[in-house]
Amino acid sequence: MTKPLETSRPREILSFSFLLFGAAVVLLPLVVVIFTSFSSPSVKATGLTFANYLEAWNRGNFWLAFANSTLVALAVTILQVITSALAGYALARLQFRGRQALILIVLATLVIPFQLLVIPIFLVLKWGNLLNTYGALILPTAANGFGIFLMRQYFSSIPVELEEAAVLDGANRWQVLWLVMLPLARPALVTLCLLTFIGEWNDLFKPLVFTTRPELKTVQLVLSEFQEQFTSSWQLLMAAVVIATLPVVLLFLAGQKQFIRGIAATGIKN
């Protein structure tokens, strides 16, 4: 009984060492960014300082950028949760002609880069007088094929007997979805919220193409301007990077357990 334990321990140590080395390689750039952001721009000065963060915050007008990014990310997240939940439930439970073809179409949208659609989307936004508005930043990604497929997969993993029991108690389709399916799909909903919010927070393409008004600048647009203006001041640039990254890191850490459960459960049943 002791030999298998003795032979498995070197393997565990080797695996742990390999994982530790991989984590160190991944975290090394982050450590460099944080250390640089706290370092003093003066060669003579020593020690860590918060002055870089204050200067970067004021020069970049991050108050406005944070407000815009938060508004856009929250609006897109709410709309994607609504559209993905409704479409995902319909594709998972409702039986209608063309259902499989519609699922394939949803999957096909995942391989189309957003950049290929920028010209028709730009023309539609121009036709609707939505350029240089919040609508131009929100509506193009209000629905997403990945979110629909994610919710469809999770709804398919929920036993049908739970819905049948709710129907026997007098619940209709909307009540089944709201009172039974959505509470059970909480991990998938949290996963969708995290991925959508982080994706919108880090998005530079839409603000760069669809808006030109300074009052509509997002965090990533401000960060790109920092890269152009302060290429010689690495302390300010790294401080701006930490400011722009910190909210999504905290958000991910807060919902990582539900995120892992949601990703793990979406492949249970096709």
Side-chain angles (χ1 to χ4, degrees):
M1 294 298 294
T2 58
K3 290 184 178 180
L5 294 177
E6 292 177 354
T7 55
S8 63
R9 176 162 294 183
R11 294 180 181 179
E12 294 178 356
I13 295 175
L14 181 61
S15 300
F16 179 78
S17 301
F18 180 76
L19 293 175
L20 187 62
F21 175 76
V25 172
V26 172
L27 294 177
L28 181 60
L30 180 61
V31 173
V32 173
V33 168
I34 296 176
F35 180 79
T36 305
S37 67
F38 282 105
S39 63
S40 176
S42 177
V43 179
K44 297 180 180 180
T46 58
L48 304 179
T49 177
F50 285 94
N52 297 324
Y53 286 90
L54 296 176
E55 187 175 357
W57 182 271
N58 293 328
R59 289 197 181 188
N61 195 13
F62 273 101
W63 275 114
L64 179 62
F66 264 65
N68 290 333
S69 292
T70 303
L71 175 63
V72 172
L74 284 177
V76 173
T77 300
I78 293 173
L79 290 175
Q80 279 203 24
V81 167
I82 294 174
T83 56
S84 298
L86 293 176
Y89 179 72
L91 293 176
R93 288 293 190 257
L94 303 184
Q95 300 297 327
F96 54 89
R97 182 177 297 179
R99 174 171 168 267
Q100 293 298 327
L102 189 56
I103 294 175
L104 293 177
I105 293 175
V106 171
L107 291 176
T109 62
L110 300 180
V111 301
I112 302 177
F114 183 80
Q115 289 77 4
L116 293 180
L117 304 175
V118 63
I119 294 179
I121 292 176
F122 185 89
L123 295 176
V124 171
L125 293 175
K126 183 179 180 180
W127 174 78
N129 295 322
L130 292 173
L131 293 177
N132 283 318
T133 65
Y134 286 109
L137 302 176
I138 296 172
L139 295 179
T141 50
N144 183 268
F146 173 78
I148 295 173
F149 181 72
L150 178 71
M151 296 306 301
R152 186 255 176 190
Q153 290 295 96
Y154 202 94
F155 285 144
S156 298
S157 68
I158 298 176
V160 183
E161 290 77 12
L162 297 175
E163 295 178 75
E164 294 175 349
V167 172
L168 291 177
D169 289 337
N172 55 36
R173 280 287 185 185
W174 289 104
Q175 291 173 327
V176 169
L177 175 62
W178 180 256
L179 299 176
V180 178
M181 302 297 286
L182 289 181
L184 293 175
R186 181 181 176 184
L189 291 174
V190 173
T191 301
L192 180 60
C193 288
L194 285 175
L195 293 177
T196 304
F197 189 93
I198 293 174
E200 289 299 317
W201 185 274
N202 293 330
D203 182 39
L204 175 63
F205 192 76
K206 286 190 299 180
L208 192 62
V209 176
F210 299 144
T211 62
T212 57
R213 292 165 54 188
E215 57 269 24
L216 292 179
K217 287 183 178 180
T218 60
V219 169
Q220 298 304 318
L221 201 56
V222 171
L223 191 59
S224 66
E225 293 178 353
F226 253 80
Q227 294 176 350
E228 298 175 359
Q229 298 176 9
F230 302 101
T231 53
S232 59
S233 181
W234 289 101
Q235 293 80 9
L236 285 180
L237 183 57
M238 295 300 104
V241 169
V242 174
I243 291 174
T245 308
L246 187 60
V248 293
V249 171
L250 296 177
L251 182 64
F252 178 79
L253 292 177
Q256 61 177 332
K257 291 183 179 180
Q258 296 292 333
F259 175 80
I260 295 173
R261 288 180 55 191
I263 291 295
T266 50
I268 292 179
K269 183 179 180 181
N270 295 322

